[in-house]
Amino acid sequence: MSRLGVPIVHDNFYPEPYDVAHDDYARPLQLVSRSLDFTDPLSGRPRRFATDRALEAW
């Protein structure tokens, strides 16, 4: 995402890595899918999930 010019906010690997404790949730990644579409592998029906959730950083 960083190479595309839209880095993930609070990603501790890019552009430069920095250490974060594995149990530190003070600054969660700001990443969310607006929608997800797939074919249900059990029923064969198309499924779609969407959200209106907004990211804190935006």
Side-chain angles (χ1 to χ4, degrees):
M1 297 299 294
S2 184
R3 286 186 184 197
L4 294 173
V6 285
I8 300 168
V9 177
H10 306 309
D11 184 348
N12 65 312
F13 291 106
Y14 300 101
E16 296 294 326
Y18 61 91
D19 290 328
V20 175
H22 71 276
D23 60 349
D24 181 0
Y25 301 108
R27 295 175 47 158
L29 293 178
Q30 295 291 295
L31 175 68
V32 68
S33 294
R34 296 206 181 208
S35 65
L36 176 66
D37 298 87
F38 63 94
T39 301
D40 187 306
L42 299 177
S43 69
R45 293 178 16 203
R47 300 292 307 227
R48 177 174 172 78
F49 299 91
T51 183
D52 294 337
R53 179 173 232 164
L55 298 175
E56 287 180 28
W58 298 96

